[in-house]
Amino acid sequence: MKPPYLSLVIPTSNDTYPSNELRVQNKCLSILQHQLERARLESEILVVEYNPDPSRPHLHESLRVDEGHYVTIKAIIVDPKYHRRYRGWEKRRFHQTLAVNVGLRRSRGRFLVYRAADQVYSEALVRFLGERALAADEIYRCDRVDVTFPDWDAVQPDDAARISRTCEEHRSEERRVGKECRSRWSPYH
């Protein structure tokens, strides 16, 4: 099997942290999958469920994904026994860096990126990735734009125009109020 162009690692957990809400994760994963399929970008998405809460269902049992032609999605579960090896494990349930490392070590793509479970990429970013023009000796970043829930609820995974419009509207609002956007996308984050 030919390795994918891009591997995307999503560190997460099945706990009650707001960005880990199943509704949000399913929507973001579906949007990402639709975007990458539309761009015909050979890619893999690795969802790393770190230190899952044993009283809740595993994410791979609850995530809804479509059969893809260009995109494969794989769930990796990091058993709590590995988390308990670290000093202070009782105080910190989720180690994002460790979860990212698990995904990166299992990734097969030529280029790597990790992203939060509740992020959505702009169509412009996906078009850029779809050009397959990334350079191995460069680091790429883009601005993060926060979207409010009423606007977020209106976005549908297969509506590229609405996704782009929502991102641009919120980017304009952040510029208007002077909010600084932090860079969040980088293959070497």
Side-chain angles (χ1 to χ4, degrees):
M1 176 189 269
K2 179 181 168 187
Y5 180 75
L6 186 66
S7 292
L8 299 107
V9 176
I10 301 176
T12 190
S13 189
N14 66 344
D15 59 21
T16 57
Y17 189 74
S19 67
N20 292 342
E21 183 182 332
L22 188 58
R23 175 182 70 92
V24 172
Q25 289 197 37
N26 269 319
K27 191 171 200 175
C28 290
L29 185 60
S30 182
I31 289 171
L32 177 62
Q33 182 183 21
H34 278 85
Q35 289 175 316
L36 296 171
E37 287 287 339
R38 277 194 303 274
R40 298 179 180 203
L41 186 59
E42 300 84 6
S43 49
E44 66 178 354
I45 301 171
L46 303 168
V47 179
V48 180
E49 185 175 0
Y50 183 84
N51 190 29
D53 181 341
S55 69
R56 299 173 59 89
H58 284 291
L59 287 175
H60 76 274
E61 298 168 356
S62 307
L63 290 175
R64 293 186 312 270
V65 296
D66 298 325
E67 186 69 33
H69 182 72
Y70 297 96
V71 181
T72 60
I73 299 174
K74 180 179 179 183
I76 302 167
I77 300 171
V78 179
D79 192 281
K81 70 181 179 184
Y82 297 107
H83 175 70
R84 289 191 295 268
R85 295 186 315 181
Y86 297 99
R87 184 180 45 204
W89 65 269
E90 309 94 338
K91 296 176 186 163
R92 186 172 182 189
R93 273 197 34 74
F94 185 73
H95 286 280
Q96 182 173 354
T97 304
L98 298 176
V100 169
N101 284 339
V102 167
L104 292 178
R105 292 181 64 148
R106 287 157 182 82
S107 64
R108 301 177 305 113
R110 180 168 174 219
F111 294 97
L112 309 169
V113 63
Y114 97 83
R115 56 171 265 164
D118 62 345
Q119 286 183 335
V120 174
Y121 289 159
S122 70
E123 292 298 316
L125 175 58
V126 176
R127 274 193 307 277
F128 172 74
L129 294 172
E131 292 170 3
R132 293 167 186 79
L134 296 176
D137 60 347
E138 292 186 19
I139 295 174
Y140 297 88
R141 302 180 348 172
C142 72
D143 290 336
R144 172 184 143 179
V145 178
D146 293 322
V147 177
T148 60
F149 269 104
D151 293 330
W152 165 249
D153 290 336
V155 171
Q156 296 304 313
D158 57 352
D159 189 351
R162 179 66 182 246
I163 294 168
S164 291
R165 193 168 54 251
T166 302
C167 288
E168 277 309 309
E169 288 168 359
H170 282 269
R171 182 184 318 279
S172 297
E173 178 65 14
E174 287 184 352
R175 286 185 186 136
R176 187 184 69 74
V177 298
K179 184 175 179 183
E180 181 180 326
C181 296
R182 297 178 298 172
S183 297
R184 288 286 297 264
W185 187 85
S186 165
Y188 304 106
H189 208 317

